[in-house]
Amino acid sequence: MPESANQPIVRALNIHKKYKDVVALDGIEIEIMPSEFTALLGPNGAGKTTLVEIIEGIQLPDSGEITLFGKHWIGNKDELYRQIGLSFQETRFEDKLTVAETLKLFASFFRLNNARVDEILNIVNLEEKRKAYVMNLSGGQRQKLALGIALLNEPKLLILDEPTTGLDPTARREIWAILHSLKKKQGTAMILTSHYMEEAENLCDKIIIIDKGKVLAKGTLKELIADSKTSEIIQFKVNDRSLFPDFSSFNDLREINWDDSTNLVTMNVDNTSAFLPELIAKLNNAGCKISELRCRYVTLDDLFIRMTGRKLTD
Ligand SMILES: Nc1ncnc2c1ncn2[C@@H]1O[C@H](COP(=O)(O)OP(=O)(O)OP(=O)(O)O)[C@@H](O)[C@H]1O
Ligand SMILES: [Mg+2]
């Protein structure tokens, strides 16, 4: 298949993978378009690393088909590796090399010169650390170095396995900023795995939620939320549950869920601004006191809980 702007640059068809009796991937189908940032979001053990390693040609699926830029891995390894940039969930560096020496080593694999190393130090904001030994880097700096290595060959496709897991919020935002500016400048496509819904929401055009080796949902954030039953949520705590009135005749109210341990009520509603005054009036009439009232938009976490009964980060 020829490469073009309308063709997916990654196509995974009906991918299955088992490790002994563990089903890691169970019929995964995904497509990634050029310049598109996609988050693979799922809890521990969902199958994210297995899937990206299959896309990266590091593992073979038991069945199914993978193409990158319209080509299979078999027979095209050298060409495909020139077009992709990878960072792994855990990267082991040579601790006794400096940051610049590490980048030069990887640059030599692609026959790139020192000017490219300087550019990368600038892109990932590690210029001040160019002479630092890798073993003395912080977690965030190591991740930036891993990202720098992935970017050396100006890849058309970047695949990052949990690039910000374990980082503090400042380091995480710094990585996001690097990826945002990359998106603006280079038109690189990216697949990023994560447990963090904010990461997917903040960085990615498309979100693919996976759990137990299956795709549960995919689309833009807007599409995922539009597909959910309701997009608006009202939450509050009730002081005395015996006074809580009956809302069964309220059409705008789709669902009520109680957290019994805290008496926290979560209402999924169609139209908060219309519903809220009626809600307050009815509670007042019943003498039912509430606290900690808040209204918010549905999040990916709400959707994940609805789909699986669990939180993403459990
Ligand atoms: N080499 C292996 N041998 C046996 N089982 C494996 C192996 N690699 C992964 N698994 C199992 O396959 C399933 C999917 O694992 P995978 O590493 O792909 O998940 P993940 O979504 O990347 O998880 P995490 O968020 O913890 O990185 C898990 O149940 C895991 O225990
Ligand atoms: Mg993983």
Side-chain angles (χ1 to χ4, degrees):
M1 182 178 56
E3 209 182 301
S4 92
N6 304 321
Q7 297 290 348
I9 58 173
V10 176
R11 197 173 243 156
L13 291 174
N14 203 14
I15 304 294
H16 288 262
K17 178 78 183 177
K18 254 180 149 182
Y19 298 105
K20 292 192 181 140
D21 52 349
V22 178
V23 177
L25 299 176
D26 191 8
I28 294 267
E29 308 254 335
I30 64 170
E31 284 188 347
I32 311 288
M33 301 303 287
S35 308
E36 193 173 80
F37 275 24
T38 298
L40 281 182
L41 201 60
N44 289 127
K48 303 181 295 296
T49 296
T50 306
L51 178 58
V52 291
E53 288 189 353
I54 287 173
I55 294 172
E56 290 161 353
I58 292 169
Q59 294 204 55
L60 283 173
D62 299 335
S63 62
E65 194 184 1
I66 290 280
T67 52
L68 268 70
F69 311 104
K71 297 191 169 149
H72 293 97
W73 273 104
I74 294 169
N76 296 300
K77 253 194 165 146
D78 290 348
E79 184 188 338
L80 292 182
Y81 276 127
R82 275 196 293 276
Q83 300 189 69
I84 65 176
L86 312 177
S87 90
F88 300 116
Q89 191 161 349
E90 277 164 37
T91 311
R92 289 216 185 87
F93 297 111
E94 178 51 65
D95 279 346
K96 295 200 177 95
L97 291 182
T98 66
V99 168
E101 285 164 353
T102 304
L103 283 167
K104 280 179 194 165
L105 177 67
F106 282 91
S108 70
F109 300 155
F110 294 106
R111 300 179 197 284
L112 298 166
N113 58 23
N114 288 349
R116 182 62 184 155
V117 169
D118 291 338
E119 275 171 23
I120 290 291
L121 286 168
N122 178 267
I123 291 170
V124 298
N125 211 0
L126 279 178
E127 277 153 327
E128 281 178 16
K129 291 284 166 191
R130 64 182 303 141
K131 291 187 178 154
Y133 286 104
V134 168
M135 63 185 179
N136 295 331
L137 296 181
S138 70
Q141 290 160 349
R142 288 178 80 89
Q143 286 294 17
K144 288 198 289 182
L145 178 57
L147 179 56
I149 292 167
L151 292 174
L152 269 168
N153 57 334
E154 296 183 72
K156 286 190 204 158
L157 171 66
L158 192 59
I159 306 177
L160 308 177
D161 197 358
E162 301 203 21
T164 70
T165 296
L167 301 189
D168 64 49
T170 313
R172 177 168 303 146
R173 287 195 179 271
E174 214 186 327
I175 300 247
W176 291 358
I178 296 166
L179 295 173
H180 268 303
S181 70
L182 186 77
K183 186 168 177 53
K184 273 198 214 125
K185 276 190 219 134
Q186 287 194 1
T188 309
M190 180 179 74
I191 303 174
L192 158 148
T193 77
S194 184
H195 306 153
Y196 303 118
M197 57 171 191
E198 319 90 89
E199 184 153 283
E201 290 179 1
N202 188 299
L203 274 183
C204 295
D205 311 301
K206 295 252 180 80
I207 294 163
I208 300 177
I209 299 180
I210 68 172
D211 190 29
K212 298 184 181 152
K214 284 189 157 65
V215 172
L216 298 184
K218 59 181 150 187
T220 63
L221 183 60
K222 259 192 178 160
E223 286 165 353
L224 293 179
I225 285 171
D227 283 350
S228 77
K229 263 197 251 165
T230 52
S231 54
E232 295 171 43
I233 286 181
I234 300 175
Q235 279 182 317
F236 51 89
K237 283 189 178 168
V238 172
N239 292 8
D240 181 351
R241 198 164 155 176
S242 67
L243 297 175
F244 194 72
D246 175 24
F247 283 96
S248 52
S249 62
F250 280 52
N251 290 334
D252 279 336
L253 176 61
R254 293 293 197 89
E255 211 173 270
I256 301 187
N257 289 301
W258 284 90
D259 179 344
D260 291 330
S261 61
T262 56
N263 269 354
L264 177 77
V265 189
T266 302
M267 292 181 154
N268 294 38
V269 301
D270 279 337
N271 184 344
T272 302
S273 54
F275 181 72
L276 197 57
E278 295 179 49
L279 169 74
I280 302 286
K282 190 152 175 128
L283 289 166
N284 279 340
N285 280 343
C288 178
K289 289 206 164 47
I290 64 165
S291 56
E292 298 176 40
L293 172 68
R294 60 194 180 116
C295 306
R296 60 181 177 83
Y297 216 56
V298 76
T299 63
L300 277 179
D301 229 7
D302 296 311
L303 298 185
F304 191 80
I305 292 169
R306 209 174 283 158
M307 283 185 269
T308 67
R310 286 176 295 132
K311 280 176 85 85
L312 245 176
T313 44
D314 273 357

